Amino acid sequence: MDINAVISWPLASLASLFQYNSNWNIILLIIGACSIVSFTIFIERMMYLHKSETDTNNFILKIRHSINDGNIIEAVGICEETGGTIANIIKAGLLKHNRSKQQIENAMEMSGLIEIARLEKNAKLLSIIAYIAPLIGLLGTVLGFIQAFAEMRMSGLVDISATRIGEAMEYALVTTAAGLVVAIPSIIAYNYIVSKVEGFILEIQTTSSEIVDLLTDRHEI
């Protein structure tokens, strides 16, 4: 049995499945689907992050005034009216206002973990798409070259068709380019979302610490 035939037959079969002149260029369809998913996730995350934003300075001024007046119910109402990530975390702390400092911090920390998970939801998919899209494109390139060399082997040096070889080579390079076109914006979008989430986390830590101090000072008084 010819070992080369055993190895080349599965590769040729796989290449024919993704052939460049097929009505369904599966590699390009997969890359196209990745681009749609990536774009959809980015838009959805940006809308959610925008919705979660709060005018922190104005919000804290209102909360500080209510806490200093001893009106916790009003402070909770401000959180509910304001909405968003930081307001939800502060509300969790306010609901434990008559507990110890440790319990207040634990409540806000637990709420913070939930809110951060919501901020990061699906963002990791952008990183995955940015990683696999070039690999899918590279797979298309390899399969395209397999087809090109198969054309050369089957046609022979005399009857070789430069047009068909060129088409196979073109398809091979197009898939790599398509993968990069999807990957580059995806990794930029992922890093942008991560930077926004990190900004939220810093703001959460600063604000939470201030609210805990206000509630603790109130107990001591």
Side-chain angles (χ1 to χ4, degrees), residues 38 42 123-134 179-195:
S38 178
F42 177 68
K124 194 67 177 177
L125 286 174
L126 287 173
S127 177
I128 294 173
I129 290 173
Y131 179 75
I132 66 170
L180 292 174
V181 165
V182 174
I184 293 171
S186 295
I187 196 65
I188 292 173
Y190 172 73
N191 284 303
Y192 179 75
I193 289 175
V194 167
S195 67

Side-chain angles (χ1 to χ4, degrees), residues 119-207:
L119 292 173
E120 295 176 338
K121 182 182 177 182
N122 296 329
K124 194 67 177 177
L125 286 174
L126 287 173
S127 177
I128 294 173
I129 290 173
Y131 179 75
I132 66 170
L135 297 179
I136 295 172
L138 182 60
L139 174 62
T141 297
V142 171
L143 295 177
F145 278 115
I146 290 173
Q147 292 180 46
F149 287 118
E151 292 277 358
M152 294 170 65
R153 178 174 55 81
M154 295 176 63
S155 301
L157 294 177
V158 178
D159 299 325
I160 188 170
S161 172
T163 301
R164 291 179 63 83
I165 298 300
E167 288 176 350
M169 293 290 189
E170 181 182 10
Y171 171 75
L173 296 175
V174 163
T175 56
T176 296
L180 292 174
V181 165
V182 174
I184 293 171
S186 295
I187 196 65
I188 292 173
Y190 172 73
N191 284 303
Y192 179 75
I193 289 175
V194 167
S195 67
K196 293 280 288 185
V197 172
E198 288 175 349
F200 267 104
I201 293 173
L202 180 60
E203 197 170 11
I204 287 169
Q205 292 173 339
T206 304
T207 306

Side-chain angles (χ1 to χ4, degrees), residues 29-77:
L29 285 175
I30 294 173
I31 293 174
C34 288
S35 69
I36 294 172
V37 172
S38 178
F39 180 76
T40 302
I41 291 173
F42 177 68
I43 295 300
E44 185 272 333
R45 285 294 85 195
M46 290 306 299
M47 292 176 64
Y48 185 84
L49 291 173
H50 179 72
K51 182 180 177 181
S52 300
E53 289 179 348
T54 304
D55 184 356
T56 308
N57 292 331
N58 187 45
F59 172 69
I60 291 298
L61 285 174
K62 292 180 180 178
I63 293 295
R64 185 188 294 117
H65 184 268
S66 297
I67 293 175
N68 289 335
D69 288 347
N71 196 340
I72 301 299
I73 295 177
E74 182 183 55
V76 172

